[in-house]
Short mmCIF file of all heavy atoms in Angstrom, two decimals:
data_model
loop_
_atom_site.label_atom_id
_atom_site.label_comp_id
_atom_site.label_asym_id
_atom_site.label_seq_id
_atom_site.Cartn_x
_atom_site.Cartn_y
_atom_site.Cartn_z
N ALA P 48 217.45 53.04 175.60
CA ALA P 48 218.32 52.11 174.86
C ALA P 48 217.85 50.67 175.04
O ALA P 48 217.83 49.89 174.09
CB ALA P 48 219.76 52.25 175.34
N ASP P 49 217.46 50.32 176.28
CA ASP P 49 216.96 48.97 176.54
C ASP P 49 215.68 48.71 175.75
O ASP P 49 215.49 47.61 175.20
CB ASP P 49 216.69 48.77 178.03
CG ASP P 49 217.97 48.70 178.86
OD1 ASP P 49 219.04 48.50 178.25
OD2 ASP P 49 217.89 48.86 180.09
N SER P 50 214.81 49.71 175.68
CA SER P 50 213.56 49.56 174.93
C SER P 50 213.84 49.38 173.44
O SER P 50 213.22 48.54 172.77
CB SER P 50 212.65 50.78 175.15
OG SER P 50 212.25 50.88 176.50
N ILE P 51 214.78 50.19 172.91
CA ILE P 51 215.11 50.09 171.48
C ILE P 51 215.77 48.75 171.18
O ILE P 51 215.47 48.10 170.17
CB ILE P 51 216.02 51.25 171.05
CG1 ILE P 51 215.23 52.57 171.13
CG2 ILE P 51 216.54 51.04 169.64
CD1 ILE P 51 216.07 53.79 170.85
N ASN P 52 216.65 48.30 172.08
CA ASN P 52 217.30 47.00 171.88
C ASN P 52 216.27 45.86 171.93
O ASN P 52 216.37 44.88 171.17
CB ASN P 52 218.38 46.76 172.94
CG ASN P 52 219.64 47.57 172.67
OD1 ASN P 52 220.03 47.76 171.53
ND2 ASN P 52 220.26 48.07 173.72
N TYR P 53 215.28 46.00 172.80
CA TYR P 53 214.23 44.98 172.84
C TYR P 53 213.37 45.05 171.58
O TYR P 53 212.95 44.03 171.05
CB TYR P 53 213.36 45.16 174.09
CG TYR P 53 212.48 43.96 174.37
CD1 TYR P 53 213.02 42.81 174.96
CD2 TYR P 53 211.14 43.95 174.01
CE1 TYR P 53 212.23 41.70 175.21
CE2 TYR P 53 210.35 42.84 174.24
CZ TYR P 53 210.90 41.72 174.85
OH TYR P 53 210.13 40.61 175.07
N ALA P 54 213.14 46.29 171.10
CA ALA P 54 212.41 46.45 169.84
C ALA P 54 213.18 45.80 168.71
O ALA P 54 212.57 45.19 167.80
CB ALA P 54 212.18 47.93 169.55
N TYR P 55 214.50 45.87 168.75
CA TYR P 55 215.33 45.22 167.74
C TYR P 55 215.13 43.71 167.77
O TYR P 55 215.01 43.05 166.73
CB TYR P 55 216.81 45.55 167.97
CG TYR P 55 217.76 44.65 167.23
CD1 TYR P 55 218.00 44.81 165.87
CD2 TYR P 55 218.41 43.61 167.90
CE1 TYR P 55 218.86 43.97 165.19
CE2 TYR P 55 219.27 42.77 167.23
CZ TYR P 55 219.49 42.96 165.88
OH TYR P 55 220.33 42.10 165.21
N ARG P 56 215.07 43.15 168.99
CA ARG P 56 214.86 41.71 169.11
C ARG P 56 213.50 41.31 168.55
O ARG P 56 213.38 40.27 167.88
CB ARG P 56 214.96 41.30 170.59
CG ARG P 56 216.36 41.41 171.17
CD ARG P 56 216.37 41.17 172.67
NE ARG P 56 215.81 39.86 173.01
CZ ARG P 56 215.54 39.49 174.25
NH1 ARG P 56 215.75 40.34 175.27
NH2 ARG P 56 215.04 38.30 174.49
N ILE P 57 212.49 42.14 168.80
CA ILE P 57 211.16 41.85 168.26
C ILE P 57 211.18 41.93 166.74
O ILE P 57 210.68 41.04 166.05
CB ILE P 57 210.12 42.81 168.85
CG1 ILE P 57 209.96 42.57 170.35
CG2 ILE P 57 208.77 42.67 168.13
CD1 ILE P 57 209.08 43.59 171.05
N GLN P 58 211.76 43.02 166.20
CA GLN P 58 211.81 43.17 164.75
C GLN P 58 212.63 42.04 164.12
O GLN P 58 212.24 41.48 163.09
CB GLN P 58 212.42 44.51 164.37
CG GLN P 58 212.38 44.75 162.85
CD GLN P 58 213.05 46.04 162.43
OE1 GLN P 58 214.03 46.47 163.04
NE2 GLN P 58 212.53 46.67 161.39
N ASN P 59 213.74 41.69 164.75
CA ASN P 59 214.60 40.65 164.20
C ASN P 59 213.89 39.31 164.14
O ASN P 59 214.17 38.48 163.26
CB ASN P 59 215.88 40.54 165.05
CG ASN P 59 216.99 39.80 164.33
OD1 ASN P 59 217.35 40.15 163.22
ND2 ASN P 59 217.53 38.78 164.97
N ALA P 60 212.94 39.09 165.06
CA ALA P 60 212.19 37.84 165.07
C ALA P 60 211.30 37.72 163.83
O ALA P 60 210.94 36.61 163.43
CB ALA P 60 211.34 37.74 166.33
N PHE P 61 210.94 38.85 163.22
CA PHE P 61 210.10 38.83 162.03
C PHE P 61 210.91 38.54 160.76
O PHE P 61 210.34 38.13 159.75
CB PHE P 61 209.38 40.18 161.86
CG PHE P 61 208.13 40.29 162.68
CD1 PHE P 61 208.19 40.58 164.03
CD2 PHE P 61 206.88 40.10 162.11
CE1 PHE P 61 207.04 40.69 164.80
CE2 PHE P 61 205.73 40.20 162.86
CZ PHE P 61 205.81 40.50 164.21
N PHE P 62 212.22 38.77 160.81
CA PHE P 62 213.05 38.55 159.64
C PHE P 62 213.26 37.05 159.41
O PHE P 62 213.46 36.29 160.35
CB PHE P 62 214.41 39.22 159.78
CG PHE P 62 214.40 40.70 159.62
CD1 PHE P 62 214.78 41.54 160.66
CD2 PHE P 62 214.01 41.27 158.42
CE1 PHE P 62 214.77 42.91 160.51
CE2 PHE P 62 213.99 42.65 158.26
CZ PHE P 62 214.37 43.47 159.30
N VAL P 63 213.23 36.66 158.15
CA VAL P 63 213.57 35.29 157.80
C VAL P 63 215.06 35.09 158.03
O VAL P 63 215.87 36.00 157.81
CB VAL P 63 213.18 35.00 156.33
CG1 VAL P 63 213.95 35.90 155.37
CG2 VAL P 63 213.44 33.54 155.99
N SER P 64 215.43 33.93 158.52
CA SER P 64 216.84 33.67 158.82
C SER P 64 217.65 33.54 157.53
O SER P 64 217.13 33.16 156.48
CB SER P 64 216.98 32.39 159.64
OG SER P 64 216.65 31.25 158.85
N HIS P 65 218.94 33.86 157.64
CA HIS P 65 219.82 33.72 156.47
C HIS P 65 219.94 32.26 156.05
O HIS P 65 220.10 31.95 154.87
CB HIS P 65 221.20 34.30 156.79
CG HIS P 65 221.19 35.80 156.87
ND1 HIS P 65 222.34 36.54 157.02
CD2 HIS P 65 220.18 36.70 156.83
CE1 HIS P 65 222.04 37.83 157.07
NE2 HIS P 65 220.73 37.94 156.96
N GLY P 66 219.83 31.36 157.04
CA GLY P 66 219.86 29.94 156.72
C GLY P 66 218.69 29.52 155.85
O GLY P 66 218.85 28.71 154.93
N LYS P 67 217.50 30.08 156.14
CA LYS P 67 216.32 29.78 155.34
C LYS P 67 216.47 30.34 153.93
O LYS P 67 216.07 29.69 152.94
CB LYS P 67 215.08 30.36 156.02
CG LYS P 67 213.77 30.10 155.28
CD LYS P 67 213.46 28.62 155.22
CE LYS P 67 213.08 28.05 156.56
NZ LYS P 67 212.63 26.65 156.49
N ILE P 68 217.04 31.53 153.81
CA ILE P 68 217.28 32.11 152.48
C ILE P 68 218.24 31.23 151.69
O ILE P 68 218.03 30.94 150.51
CB ILE P 68 217.83 33.54 152.61
CG1 ILE P 68 216.77 34.48 153.23
CG2 ILE P 68 218.25 34.08 151.25
CD1 ILE P 68 217.28 35.87 153.53
N LYS P 69 219.32 30.77 152.36
CA LYS P 69 220.29 29.91 151.69
C LYS P 69 219.68 28.57 151.29
O LYS P 69 220.12 27.94 150.32
CB LYS P 69 221.49 29.68 152.60
CG LYS P 69 222.37 30.90 152.86
CD LYS P 69 223.21 31.24 151.64
CE LYS P 69 224.20 32.35 151.95
NZ LYS P 69 225.03 32.70 150.77
N GLU P 70 218.66 28.14 152.02
CA GLU P 70 217.99 26.88 151.69
C GLU P 70 217.34 26.95 150.31
O GLU P 70 217.37 25.99 149.54
CB GLU P 70 216.94 26.57 152.76
CG GLU P 70 216.18 25.27 152.54
CD GLU P 70 215.14 25.04 153.61
OE1 GLU P 70 215.32 25.54 154.75
OE2 GLU P 70 214.13 24.36 153.31
N TYR P 71 216.75 28.12 150.01
CA TYR P 71 216.06 28.28 148.72
C TYR P 71 216.98 28.89 147.66
O TYR P 71 216.83 28.60 146.47
CB TYR P 71 214.82 29.17 148.90
CG TYR P 71 213.80 28.56 149.83
CD1 TYR P 71 213.43 29.21 151.01
CD2 TYR P 71 213.21 27.33 149.55
CE1 TYR P 71 212.49 28.65 151.86
CE2 TYR P 71 212.28 26.76 150.40
CZ TYR P 71 211.92 27.43 151.55
OH TYR P 71 211.01 26.87 152.41
N PHE P 72 217.91 29.74 148.11
CA PHE P 72 218.85 30.38 147.18
C PHE P 72 220.27 30.20 147.73
O PHE P 72 220.77 31.06 148.46
CB PHE P 72 218.52 31.87 147.03
CG PHE P 72 217.13 32.16 146.56
CD1 PHE P 72 216.23 32.81 147.39
CD2 PHE P 72 216.71 31.76 145.30
CE1 PHE P 72 214.94 33.09 146.97
CE2 PHE P 72 215.42 32.02 144.87
CZ PHE P 72 214.52 32.68 145.71
N PRO P 73 220.91 29.07 147.41
CA PRO P 73 222.23 28.78 148.00
C PRO P 73 223.26 29.85 147.73
O PRO P 73 224.10 30.15 148.58
CB PRO P 73 222.61 27.45 147.33
CG PRO P 73 221.30 26.82 146.94
CD PRO P 73 220.42 27.97 146.56
N ASP P 74 223.24 30.43 146.52
CA ASP P 74 224.19 31.50 146.19
C ASP P 74 223.46 32.83 146.27
O ASP P 74 222.90 33.32 145.28
CB ASP P 74 224.78 31.27 144.81
CG ASP P 74 226.02 32.14 144.56
OD1 ASP P 74 226.55 32.71 145.54
OD2 ASP P 74 226.45 32.26 143.40
N SER P 75 223.44 33.40 147.46
CA SER P 75 222.69 34.64 147.68
C SER P 75 223.33 35.42 148.83
O SER P 75 224.19 34.91 149.55
CB SER P 75 221.23 34.35 148.03
OG SER P 75 221.13 33.61 149.24
N PHE P 76 222.93 36.67 148.98
CA PHE P 76 223.40 37.48 150.11
C PHE P 76 222.35 38.51 150.47
O PHE P 76 221.49 38.88 149.65
CB PHE P 76 224.73 38.18 149.79
CG PHE P 76 224.60 39.34 148.83
CD1 PHE P 76 224.24 40.60 149.28
CD2 PHE P 76 224.85 39.18 147.48
CE1 PHE P 76 224.13 41.68 148.40
CE2 PHE P 76 224.74 40.24 146.58
CZ PHE P 76 224.37 41.49 147.05
N VAL P 77 222.43 38.98 151.70
CA VAL P 77 221.62 40.11 152.15
C VAL P 77 222.56 41.09 152.84
O VAL P 77 223.15 40.77 153.87
CB VAL P 77 220.51 39.69 153.13
CG1 VAL P 77 219.77 40.93 153.65
CG2 VAL P 77 219.53 38.73 152.47
N LEU P 78 222.74 42.25 152.24
CA LEU P 78 223.50 43.34 152.87
C LEU P 78 222.50 44.24 153.56
O LEU P 78 221.71 44.92 152.90
CB LEU P 78 224.30 44.11 151.83
CG LEU P 78 225.08 45.34 152.35
CD1 LEU P 78 226.12 44.92 153.36
CD2 LEU P 78 225.73 46.10 151.19
N PHE P 79 222.50 44.22 154.88
CA PHE P 79 221.48 44.93 155.66
C PHE P 79 222.18 45.77 156.72
O PHE P 79 222.83 45.25 157.62
CB PHE P 79 220.55 43.91 156.32
CG PHE P 79 219.43 44.52 157.13
CD1 PHE P 79 218.57 45.45 156.57
CD2 PHE P 79 219.25 44.14 158.46
CE1 PHE P 79 217.54 46.00 157.32
CE2 PHE P 79 218.22 44.68 159.20
CZ PHE P 79 217.37 45.62 158.64
N LYS P 80 222.06 47.11 156.58
CA LYS P 80 222.74 48.04 157.49
C LYS P 80 221.74 49.10 157.97
O LYS P 80 221.55 50.12 157.30
CB LYS P 80 223.92 48.71 156.78
CG LYS P 80 225.02 47.74 156.33
CD LYS P 80 226.01 48.40 155.39
CE LYS P 80 226.90 49.40 156.08
NZ LYS P 80 227.96 48.77 156.89
#
Side-chain angles (χ1 to χ4, degrees):
D49 289 344
S50 296
I51 293 175
N52 285 323
Y53 194 78
Y55 164 78
R56 291 172 58 189
I57 294 173
Q58 185 183 34
N59 197 53
F61 277 80
F62 285 118
V63 62
S64 69
H65 288 186
K67 180 64 70 174
I68 294 174
K69 291 286 187 180
E70 180 181 333
Y71 297 119
F72 303 115
D74 194 13
S75 63
F76 74 83
V77 176
L78 176 62
F79 181 54
K80 297 168 71 76

